[in-house]
Amino acid sequence: MNSTSTAPAFRARRLALVVPAFALTLLLSGCSGILQLLADRSEPTGETVSAELAPYYEQVLRWVDCGEGAQCATATAPMDWANPTPETDIELALARHKATGESLGSLFVNPGGPGASGYDLIHDDVDFAVSATLRENYDVIGWDPRGVGRSTPVTCLDDEGLDEFIFGIPEAEVGSDAWLAESEDAAINFGQACFENTGPILQFIDTQSTVHDLDMLRAIVGDEKLQYLGYSYGSDIGSYYIENFPQNVGRIVLDGATDSSISVFEVGLVQTAGFQRALENYLAACPTSFDDCPFVGGVDAALATIRGLYDRYDANPVAAPDGRMMDAGVIDIAMSMALYSEDSWPFLNDLFSEAARGETDTAFFLADFYYSRDVDGTYTDNSLEAFIAIYCVDYPVETDPAVLISQQELMRQASPATYRDFPPTPDFTCLNWPYKYIGPGITELTGEGAPPVLIVSTTGDPATPYEWGVALSNQLQSAQLITYNGEGHTAYNGGVACIDSAVDDYFVTGTVPDADPDCSA
């Protein structure tokens, strides 16, 4: 499914974000504040690293209360791990909830994206991230990876500029040379704004640098082994950590796992097919599940209706009350957002009913939630900008015209009802990005030497399809697959006892299932 603008299409899990008030008064509150700062220190492991990395691995974190029962800290990391220099150091923001019982150590959590805030997830919504069992046994830590949120951030456009980049529609006829030129100009301008407003870290925003950051964070919280829960793209971070630091792996669970061995086009193709399956599952259930279902006549007839809506609004976009234009791209993003979870299917009834009447409320409500845009037009985080920055240095850009034509046809076949017939072009944003593809530098994941890890994968997951979890569990030598037969993106802590108990038992006792428990709700 295609995005509205020239930005890469992405499907990052969205979380409620709240800016905490840091307890800076502790610094000025006399002896009690000093005693707290002394007590809430994380002592590093003291492990041997090179002299140039020692200042980073030996730093002492100081945690301060920052609301919601959480503590917060800031770590320092080198901008370029290959050439660390203090003059270019970056900051990484962390939030933790200390164990409610006797702690086994720290459990790091990443919500995915890339570009989603682990700090906000744990600070604001720790009970959504992990079970009460894990809260009892671990100090649960979330951090904003480099480029994200409260860490040294990627910064590109103001709110008005982001609106134009995301929702703007070229004035020229779709597919014309002028249309292509407008689209590429928007991409070039976006990349230049990111270059000018972010600074040199933009070159070092790649996943491999984040993996090295995570190993440093493990050491400075005092853990000899990493305990880690990675959702969605967070499984990329986790799988590369297993590959790069197998000797430091403790207990790692990757939920909504990705397959790092496939190309960026294959990622998009499999995701497109996954969202198509999720859409068909919704359409099959709709008439008997919802009194207000807008579809009759079966799945094929409903898909034809949706195809008609896409064609209608690409030909004639309609204005929302705030002046933004709803084309098929806005409908597509809104639909994708609601397909993440079966619980969100009722929004699809409203979306398609309103679109049939020429109304835009639910379409923009879902699209805004997807892009972290508030009702007043402000963007509550930099997740889109961070996503694009990471995406463009992690993946190469395909430019071969023959390959692009072939790929376009495969995408059309994967989702004919929601395919948008644009000319086969390279990804303009990454093609014109200020810094070129870095990539992981790893051609095959094996995790040789790592202890057992768990891979959780859902059969009806549209964003990280089940086959990716199967593939990753086959690639990593010590991985055990945990299957959830159900709908939705990710499975742990979602009320499925079979999944939750397998993950909790593993983290608390180290128990690895003898075989895939093949869970169902």
Side-chain angles (χ1 to χ4, degrees):
M1 298 181 185
N2 311 87
S3 64
T4 305
S5 73
T6 54
F10 72 100
R11 293 174 167 84
R13 185 173 185 161
R14 283 289 176 263
L15 306 168
L17 306 180
V18 178
V19 178
F22 286 87
L24 297 179
T25 54
L26 289 172
L27 298 175
L28 304 173
S29 60
C31 294
S32 61
I34 294 173
L35 288 174
Q36 183 191 359
L37 290 175
L38 289 174
D40 291 333
R41 292 158 47 105
S42 291
E43 297 296 338
T45 59
E47 60 200 64
T48 301
V49 295
S50 66
E52 60 186 3
L53 296 184
Y56 304 101
Y57 273 75
E58 294 174 358
Q59 64 186 294
V60 175
L61 283 182
R62 290 175 171 82
W63 298 91
V64 298
D65 293 338
C66 54
E68 303 297 330
Q71 295 180 316
C72 299
T74 301
T76 299
M79 182 175 69
D80 178 5
W81 276 101
N83 297 287
T85 55
E87 293 77 18
T88 59
D89 284 349
I90 64 170
E91 292 186 341
L92 302 174
L94 302 92
R96 77 173 179 185
H97 281 267
K98 298 187 74 172
T100 58
E102 185 174 350
S103 179
L104 296 173
S106 298
L107 172 64
F108 286 89
V109 182
N110 181 275
S117 170
Y119 178 111
D120 286 338
L121 172 64
I122 299 306
H123 181 277
D124 301 337
D125 220 358
V126 63
D127 291 320
F128 174 79
V130 300
S131 69
T133 298
L134 295 191
R135 285 206 61 190
E136 179 182 358
N137 286 277
Y138 282 98
D139 301 327
V140 182
I141 298 177
W143 87 105
D144 282 352
R146 55 177 57 212
V148 176
R150 292 174 179 79
S151 295
T152 302
V154 173
T155 304
C156 302
L157 299 172
D158 60 17
D159 294 329
E160 183 178 353
L162 279 173
D163 266 358
E164 179 61 28
F165 180 66
I166 296 170
F167 298 106
I169 300 174
E171 296 180 1
E173 180 182 356
V174 174
S176 65
D177 289 345
W179 182 90
L180 291 172
E182 280 189 69
S183 300
E184 186 162 20
D185 284 347
I188 292 171
N189 292 337
F190 178 79
Q192 186 61 32
C194 296
F195 176 76
E196 293 174 355
N197 295 322
T198 300
I201 190 182
L202 197 64
Q203 185 177 359
F204 302 101
I205 214 73
D206 58 296
T207 298
Q208 290 299 316
S209 293
T210 288
V211 168
H212 210 150
D213 293 342
L214 179 57
D215 189 61
M216 179 198 75
L217 294 176
R218 168 202 58 79
I220 64 178
V221 299
D223 289 354
E224 294 184 0
K225 303 292 183 181
L226 175 71
Q227 328 304 328
Y228 175 77
L229 173 59
Y231 291 106
S232 195
Y233 162 79
S235 69
D236 269 9
I237 297 171
S239 61
Y240 284 126
Y241 187 93
I242 294 165
E243 185 67 25
N244 287 321
F245 300 100
Q247 74 281 5
N248 296 337
V249 171
R251 297 168 188 171
I252 291 181
V253 174
L254 308 179
D255 184 6
T258 55
D259 180 2
S260 301
S261 70
I262 62 178
S263 69
V264 65
F265 169 71
E266 291 172 299
V267 169
L269 181 64
V270 175
Q271 276 195 331
T272 296
F275 276 91
Q276 176 73 16
R277 286 194 299 270
L279 175 61
E280 291 174 358
N281 290 341
Y282 154 72
L283 294 174
C286 184
T288 57
S289 299
F290 305 109
D291 292 338
D292 60 344
C293 176
F295 300 105
V296 294
V299 171
D300 289 343
L303 289 171
T305 298
I306 293 171
R307 175 73 266 166
L309 290 174
Y310 271 58
D311 292 340
R312 170 183 168 184
Y313 286 110
D314 264 339
N316 296 289
V318 62
D322 64 4
R324 290 181 294 166
M325 303 298 291
M326 184 182 78
D327 65 356
V330 174
I331 295 174
D332 189 76
I333 289 294
M335 180 177 66
S336 298
M337 182 69 249
L339 288 172
Y340 264 92
S341 170
E342 192 171 349
D343 293 338
S344 297
W345 284 2
F347 286 110
L348 294 171
N349 300 336
D350 296 335
L351 170 68
F352 291 123
S353 295
E354 291 175 11
R357 300 191 298 266
E359 299 171 3
T360 65
D361 288 353
T362 299
F364 277 107
F365 170 79
L366 291 169
D368 286 347
F369 187 74
Y370 193 91
Y371 288 118
S372 299
R373 185 184 189 271
D374 213 339
V375 292
D376 63 359
T378 60
Y379 288 81
T380 60
D381 60 41
N382 74 330
S383 56
L384 174 66
E385 295 158 307
F387 170 85
I388 295 174
I390 297 166
Y391 177 100
C392 287
V393 295
D394 269 4
Y395 290 109
V397 179
E398 181 60 66
T399 59
D400 186 316
V403 173
L404 291 169
I405 291 171
S406 174
Q407 290 179 348
Q408 184 183 50
E409 175 58 22
L410 290 172
M411 293 292 278
R412 186 192 67 77
Q413 293 174 12
S415 186
T418 61
Y419 173 76
R420 301 176 73 200
D421 192 17
F422 292 159
T425 60
D427 180 332
F428 284 146
T429 305
C430 292
L431 181 67
N432 295 284
W433 196 245
Y435 298 103
K436 301 308 177 186
Y437 163 68
I438 297 173
I442 298 172
T443 57
E444 182 180 2
L445 293 175
T446 65
E448 183 176 359
V453 299
L454 299 187
I455 309 297
V456 181
S457 198
T458 301
T459 56
D461 189 332
T464 52
Y466 179 68
E467 54 262 42
W468 288 357
V470 174
L472 183 60
S473 68
N474 289 330
Q475 292 160 20
L476 295 174
Q477 295 177 3
S478 63
Q480 173 60 58
L481 179 67
I482 306 292
T483 296
Y484 170 51
N485 296 282
E487 295 291 325
H489 181 44
T490 73
Y492 172 66
N493 208 31
V496 180
C498 176
I499 295 290
D500 294 348
S501 62
V503 172
D504 286 347
D505 289 349
Y506 168 76
F507 272 126
V508 175
T509 69
T511 302
V512 178
D514 294 330
D516 182 355
D518 200 26
C519 300
S520 298

